[in-house]
Amino acid sequence: MGIAAVLILLAVELVLGWPSLAGALRQLRTPHLGWLALATLVELAAMNAYGRMQRQLLRSAGVRAPMIEHLRLAYAAHSLSVTLPGGPAFSTRFNYQQMRRLGASPAIASWAIVLSGILSTCGLGVVTLGSALAAGGATHWQHLLWWLLAAVALTLGVRHLARHPEVLGSPLAVVNRLRRRPAAAGSDRLSGFLEQLRAARLTPGRGGLAALLALANWLLDALCLWLCFRAVGEQPAPLTVVLLAFCAAMAAGTITIVPGGLGIIDSALILGLIAGGVPTAAAVAAVVLYRVISFGFIVALGWLSWLGMRAPHDTTATPVAPIVADALA
């Protein structure tokens, strides 16, 4: 009955929205190749910014690897995240394994994954805050402040624990008491894990550059959507309208279990653009083209990268501490 209700709803929407959809499809059949190429290059630059952000984090811990390796990892992990059910879990595991292959210790790989996620969230928050201020709307800067504080706390906390591992002695004893084990059980592996964290020396310069790259990742992605209006032969929507619709759609996409946010992100983008005064046919055409580039094309490149990285590598040289396994789970 649920499937039948969904099919009926989709059929009704198709009938009601067919004139706009037909107009959008006509525009998509003859895109402007120059603008289409530029939009594609901008989306590639967005992925490049994300790969460079993770590279900065790993380089701050002494992990040196060719830029192409970081880009391959960014594309492959992104495709795993957006196309598989429960994709973020697969993506995190893959990220961890490949960072270990590049030379990162278990502690550094875990630290880089967590911090890159926080920076990316903060980047989207900054774009949302800026677009809301530009549009004269209400802002929720407190949420962004909490994420920024989390990033600072993580960096300072890692540095403090690496220098003073003895502070975890009492919490470890409490945990072991609950597990009915000796008070010092696991202290050697925990000490080894904290010893690895000493390599994480994120200077303000590298941290600021990583934050700017996380911000550039989102801004370039939104710019791709804006350029898609040109590619379909429409006058571009105001940049503030595009940014607000983009941020709302990306936020909606994070709370859906549908791979790639299919249907959710698209609907949020179209509705947001229409609410900003964009004609329906233009909004549909631009969003469909944007999703072809950002989802179809980028995901295809990601799966090709994943296939190229499937060669067996030795990732078992250093055993993973239980705390890392729990965090990844």
Side-chain angles (χ1 to χ4, degrees), residues 177-243:
R177 190 179 304 118
L178 294 175
R179 299 169 63 194
R180 297 181 180 180
R181 294 189 176 185
S187 60
D188 53 344
R189 289 197 290 181
L190 184 58
S191 298
F193 186 82
L194 294 176
E195 180 67 25
Q196 297 169 15
L197 284 177
R198 292 187 180 180
R201 298 176 180 177
L202 187 63
T203 63
R206 284 196 183 277
L209 180 56
L212 288 176
L213 288 169
L215 179 62
N217 169 245
W218 292 112
L219 288 175
L220 289 169
D221 197 8
L223 179 58
C224 175
L225 172 61
W226 187 82
L227 289 171
C228 284
F229 281 95
R230 289 287 190 186
V232 297
E234 290 287 343
Q235 184 66 26
L239 192 56
T240 53
V241 172
V242 173
L243 286 174

Side-chain angles (χ1 to χ4, degrees), residues 37-186:
L38 182 58
T40 304
L41 288 175
V42 167
E43 189 63 31
L44 291 173
M47 292 298 300
N48 184 284
Y50 189 86
R52 288 181 180 275
M53 176 197 67
Q54 287 198 327
R55 180 178 183 238
Q56 287 298 320
L57 296 179
L58 290 177
R59 283 175 70 90
S60 70
V63 179
R64 308 284 177 173
M67 185 62 210
I68 187 64
E69 292 292 336
H70 291 281
L71 292 179
R72 292 171 66 195
L73 175 56
Y75 278 96
H78 173 74
S79 294
L80 287 173
S81 178
V82 301
T83 56
L84 296 179
F90 290 101
S91 177
T92 300
R93 182 173 181 270
F94 181 77
N95 249 324
Y96 177 82
Q97 290 176 334
Q98 294 302 316
M99 287 183 181
R100 293 280 291 113
R101 181 180 66 84
L102 295 178
S105 66
I108 293 302
S110 302
W111 168 79
I113 291 171
V114 173
L115 188 54
S116 63
I118 292 177
L119 289 177
S120 183
T121 302
C122 288
L124 181 59
V126 169
V127 176
T128 305
L129 180 63
S131 57
L133 288 174
T139 61
H140 300 281
W141 57 267
Q142 297 90 342
H143 299 294
L144 176 61
L145 179 61
W146 281 115
W147 279 109
L148 291 174
L149 290 176
V152 174
L154 176 64
T155 303
L156 296 179
V158 165
R159 184 172 299 180
H160 180 74
L161 286 177
R163 293 177 177 176
H164 306 283
E166 65 276 2
V167 299
L168 291 180
S170 297
L172 179 62
V174 173
V175 172
N176 283 329
R177 190 179 304 118
L178 294 175
R179 299 169 63 194
R180 297 181 180 180
R181 294 189 176 185

